[in-house]
Amino acid sequence: MTSQMTRTGAARAVRDFWFAPGAEKLWLRRDDAFDAEIRERFGDLIAEATAGRLSEWESNAADALALVVVLDQFPRNIHRDSPAAFAADPLARRVAGRAVDGGFHMAAPPERRFFFYLPFEHSEHAADQDRSIALFRAWVDSSPPEQRADCEDQFTYVLRHQEIIRRFGRFPHRNTCLGRISTAEEEAFLKEPRSSF
């Protein structure tokens, strides 16, 4: 994949795949077949993105959204239970931050917009969590009435992420995968509901 046209087509392919009707049921849950399809169809593209070779996608809102999905979501699908699932997170945050600063998130339909915000929710840094809360709160407040309940439900997870970072300074459920030693408090916490995502 070397030409601009090919890469633009790839951004469209990412959007068509990720936002296909019915795909939302698979976004935030484990599905081995879905993960395998991402790996097969987009594995090379993920490698290009994590190497920083898709920066031209940041020139418009639609392609920037695709790039955030490739950097933030796809690694979580194809590298579950591996440090590689989180390796592109800093780059995803930088891309998402520039997109939000440029107002690109507001060009996305509301049901897609929150993907610009997830890299901040996924961060173990308090300042990113604060930004996540502000962005998601505005997203909820601007949601259409018929989608408000679903958006509010999503926001409870955003709040839970911030709560965990405030309490531990990291996500304890990542400790084993990242080779970190859990404290006794973290081990007790991991037995609680909604301690892992």
Side-chain angles (χ1 to χ4, degrees):
M1 184 179 310
T2 56
S3 73
Q4 175 80 18
M5 184 174 295
T6 302
R7 285 180 171 171
T8 299
R12 186 178 307 111
V14 168
R15 294 192 303 273
D16 290 348
F17 171 80
W18 193 251
F19 298 111
E24 68 277 2
K25 297 173 185 175
L26 301 171
W27 285 344
L28 303 177
R29 70 180 183 91
R30 185 178 201 126
D31 184 284
D32 292 340
F34 188 61
D35 293 351
E37 186 173 2
I38 293 170
R39 187 178 299 108
E40 180 179 338
R41 290 182 61 179
F42 302 107
D44 291 343
L45 191 68
I46 296 165
E48 286 203 42
T50 56
R53 292 196 290 267
L54 298 180
S55 58
E56 68 270 18
W57 288 21
E58 295 188 63
S59 64
N60 66 79
D63 290 353
L65 177 59
L67 183 55
V68 171
V69 169
V70 169
L71 290 168
D72 183 69
Q73 294 297 302
F74 283 4
R76 283 171 162 74
N77 287 86
I78 70 168
H79 298 300
R80 292 185 189 275
D81 305 317
S82 161
F86 315 110
D89 282 7
L91 183 55
R93 280 194 304 277
R94 288 194 294 272
V95 171
R98 288 190 290 265
V100 169
D101 290 345
F104 283 177
H105 61 129
M106 299 308 293
E111 66 275 12
R112 298 182 181 188
R113 189 175 302 157
F114 75 92
F115 283 101
F116 280 119
Y117 310 154
L118 284 175
F120 305 109
E121 181 182 353
H122 291 155
S123 174
E124 292 188 320
H125 300 285
D128 292 328
Q129 288 296 319
D130 291 344
R131 189 169 196 187
S132 169
I133 293 293
L135 290 166
F136 272 104
R137 182 73 260 172
W139 176 70
V140 171
D141 291 345
S142 66
S143 63
E146 66 274 11
Q147 296 175 0
R148 184 65 180 255
D150 288 340
C151 293
E152 289 282 6
D153 182 62
Q154 177 68 32
F155 192 59
T156 64
Y157 288 92
V158 178
L159 291 170
R160 181 65 166 164
H161 279 74
Q162 185 188 51
E163 175 189 342
I164 292 169
I165 293 303
R166 282 183 172 170
R167 181 173 173 187
F168 299 106
R170 62 186 186 175
F171 293 118
H173 69 274
R174 295 182 186 176
N175 287 351
T176 299
C177 164
L178 295 176
R180 302 188 305 210
I181 304 299
S182 294
T183 66
E185 184 183 4
E186 287 175 332
E187 289 176 359
F189 169 75
L190 288 170
K191 297 173 183 175
E192 299 177 10
R194 292 176 65 176
S195 61
S196 302
F197 302 99

